[in-house]
Amino acid sequence: MLGNSSTTNKAGPELSIIIVNMNHLNKLKNLFNSLFGKEKTARTHEIIVVDNCSTDGSVAYIAANYPSVIIHQNDKVRGFAANNNQGVNISSGQYIFICNPDVIVLPGAIDEMLGFYERNPGVGIVCPQLLNSDLTFQPSVRRFYSLKVVALRVLTWGNDASTNKDIRKYLMLDFDKSKIQFIDWALGAAMVLKRSVYQKLGGFDEKFFLYIEDADLCLRCWAAGHAVVYCPQAVCIHDHQRASMKGVNKLLWFHVKSITYFFYKHQLLWRQAQGFEQL
């Protein structure tokens, strides 16, 4: 492990920011510019990077330029769920911010999410509004899958611009983007949880190597009696590549494997998952 937790105090920081990196040096530069910029959060926090066997100089760059960042280096490649769990296990913050390396945290986003959580302590997961790199809205909040939606997504190669009514409903394309509201789940690129909630849920399910672990975490959050909330006043940019939808490749295989396990795990073959619409 490299670096130190100089941002912590004896009682621990308010927030632990967990970042999983695998050869994302260029993305990390933008993320760290936002986290360490002049409008960074005033909340006490620590930043933990779990490096998944990068070969692009990421670790050396972070150590040289951001010595307060805690770096955990893997000895072998692990999945998204396992890496985030590792990061949380070595963290000490009261709140956990799961943050992808391809995210840019805009001013005030962290404070908005923590503030909402503090005003509504019964919630489970708070998710920001995500924007594409061109600052257009990114459809990052979703309803839970059904077999019909999965089939339609496969047939349309995951096209978010599809006019199909079932896909539009799944992607929540017609909801009020400016309103704080319950959602079934959101992309795991950026989400805040209280540590006690994360521990109650057992963290991410490490049987998901890549993809769908965010939907699974949110479904288990709802099942445990904690709401998943979209907080549009908190805004982040997410440079989302969606590599699994670029033809038949290894990432597509991970996607198929994960969604199959999701349906099996939650016994959803003949029923719909229970989310915010069942409140």
PDB file of all heavy atoms in Angstrom, residues 4 29 84 107 139 178 213 255 259:
ATOM      1  N   ASN A   4      -0.653   7.764   2.361  1.00  0.00           N
ATOM      2  CA  ASN A   4      -1.081   7.767   3.759  1.00  0.00           C
ATOM      3  C   ASN A   4      -2.415   8.470   3.845  1.00  0.00           C
ATOM      4  O   ASN A   4      -2.866   9.118   2.904  1.00  0.00           O
ATOM      5  CB  ASN A   4      -0.052   8.467   4.640  1.00  0.00           C
ATOM      6  CG  ASN A   4       0.180   9.907   4.210  1.00  0.00           C
ATOM      7  OD1 ASN A   4      -0.667  10.763   4.450  1.00  0.00           O
ATOM      8  ND2 ASN A   4       1.304  10.175   3.549  1.00  0.00           N
ATOM      9  N   LYS A  29      -6.666  11.776 -14.216  1.00  0.00           N
ATOM     10  CA  LYS A  29      -6.181  13.157 -14.148  1.00  0.00           C
ATOM     11  C   LYS A  29      -7.353  14.130 -14.045  1.00  0.00           C
ATOM     12  O   LYS A  29      -7.331  15.078 -13.252  1.00  0.00           O
ATOM     13  CB  LYS A  29      -5.319  13.474 -15.362  1.00  0.00           C
ATOM     14  CG  LYS A  29      -3.969  12.753 -15.361  1.00  0.00           C
ATOM     15  CD  LYS A  29      -3.163  13.093 -16.603  1.00  0.00           C
ATOM     16  CE  LYS A  29      -1.806  12.394 -16.583  1.00  0.00           C
ATOM     17  NZ  LYS A  29      -1.003  12.702 -17.796  1.00  0.00           N
ATOM     18  N   ASN A  84     -14.088  -2.793  -5.213  1.00  0.00           N
ATOM     19  CA  ASN A  84     -14.747  -1.801  -4.363  1.00  0.00           C
ATOM     20  C   ASN A  84     -14.845  -2.282  -2.928  1.00  0.00           C
ATOM     21  O   ASN A  84     -14.645  -1.498  -1.989  1.00  0.00           O
ATOM     22  CB  ASN A  84     -16.123  -1.450  -4.919  1.00  0.00           C
ATOM     23  CG  ASN A  84     -16.054  -0.393  -5.993  1.00  0.00           C
ATOM     24  OD1 ASN A  84     -15.699   0.748  -5.742  1.00  0.00           O
ATOM     25  ND2 ASN A  84     -16.383  -0.777  -7.221  1.00  0.00           N
ATOM     26  N   PRO A 107     -18.530  20.877  -8.818  1.00  0.00           N
ATOM     27  CA  PRO A 107     -18.563  21.566  -7.520  1.00  0.00           C
ATOM     28  C   PRO A 107     -19.895  21.389  -6.789  1.00  0.00           C
ATOM     29  O   PRO A 107     -20.966  21.530  -7.383  1.00  0.00           O
ATOM     30  CB  PRO A 107     -18.337  23.034  -7.907  1.00  0.00           C
ATOM     31  CG  PRO A 107     -17.521  22.970  -9.153  1.00  0.00           C
ATOM     32  CD  PRO A 107     -18.054  21.769  -9.899  1.00  0.00           C
ATOM     33  N   PRO A 139     -28.771   8.880 -19.354  1.00  0.00           N
ATOM     34  CA  PRO A 139     -29.809   8.053 -18.712  1.00  0.00           C
ATOM     35  C   PRO A 139     -29.182   7.001 -17.804  1.00  0.00           C
ATOM     36  O   PRO A 139     -29.009   5.842 -18.168  1.00  0.00           O
ATOM     37  CB  PRO A 139     -30.543   7.421 -19.893  1.00  0.00           C
ATOM     38  CG  PRO A 139     -29.539   7.398 -20.997  1.00  0.00           C
ATOM     39  CD  PRO A 139     -28.674   8.613 -20.796  1.00  0.00           C
ATOM     40  N   SER A 178     -35.238  16.934 -12.986  1.00  0.00           N
ATOM     41  CA  SER A 178     -34.876  17.969 -12.015  1.00  0.00           C
ATOM     42  C   SER A 178     -35.406  17.679 -10.611  1.00  0.00           C
ATOM     43  O   SER A 178     -35.158  18.443  -9.680  1.00  0.00           O
ATOM     44  CB  SER A 178     -35.422  19.324 -12.475  1.00  0.00           C
ATOM     45  OG  SER A 178     -36.848  19.313 -12.488  1.00  0.00           O
ATOM     46  N   GLU A 213     -23.663  -5.541 -10.933  1.00  0.00           N
ATOM     47  CA  GLU A 213     -23.483  -5.521  -9.476  1.00  0.00           C
ATOM     48  C   GLU A 213     -24.140  -4.296  -8.855  1.00  0.00           C
ATOM     49  O   GLU A 213     -24.562  -4.332  -7.691  1.00  0.00           O
ATOM     50  CB  GLU A 213     -22.008  -5.590  -9.077  1.00  0.00           C
ATOM     51  CG  GLU A 213     -21.139  -4.456  -9.591  1.00  0.00           C
ATOM     52  CD  GLU A 213     -20.748  -4.607 -11.046  1.00  0.00           C
ATOM     53  OE1 GLU A 213     -20.048  -5.567 -11.394  1.00  0.00           O
ATOM     54  OE2 GLU A 213     -21.150  -3.726 -11.837  1.00  0.00           O
ATOM     55  N   HIS A 255     -21.268  -9.278 -19.441  1.00  0.00           N
ATOM     56  CA  HIS A 255     -22.599  -8.690 -19.268  1.00  0.00           C
ATOM     57  C   HIS A 255     -23.667  -9.782 -19.257  1.00  0.00           C
ATOM     58  O   HIS A 255     -24.555  -9.801 -18.393  1.00  0.00           O
ATOM     59  CB  HIS A 255     -22.867  -7.693 -20.395  1.00  0.00           C
ATOM     60  CG  HIS A 255     -23.676  -6.520 -19.971  1.00  0.00           C
ATOM     61  ND1 HIS A 255     -23.505  -5.246 -20.467  1.00  0.00           N
ATOM     62  CD2 HIS A 255     -24.697  -6.404 -19.081  1.00  0.00           C
ATOM     63  CE1 HIS A 255     -24.369  -4.416 -19.917  1.00  0.00           C
ATOM     64  NE2 HIS A 255     -25.095  -5.101 -19.073  1.00  0.00           N
ATOM     65  N   ILE A 259     -26.018 -10.801 -15.977  1.00  0.00           N
ATOM     66  CA  ILE A 259     -27.471 -10.642 -15.954  1.00  0.00           C
ATOM     67  C   ILE A 259     -28.158 -11.987 -15.761  1.00  0.00           C
ATOM     68  O   ILE A 259     -29.220 -12.078 -15.120  1.00  0.00           O
ATOM     69  CB  ILE A 259     -27.971  -9.924 -17.226  1.00  0.00           C
ATOM     70  CG1 ILE A 259     -29.326  -9.272 -16.934  1.00  0.00           C
ATOM     71  CG2 ILE A 259     -28.059 -10.846 -18.427  1.00  0.00           C
ATOM     72  CD1 ILE A 259     -29.732  -8.239 -17.944  1.00  0.00           C
TER      73      ILE A 259
END
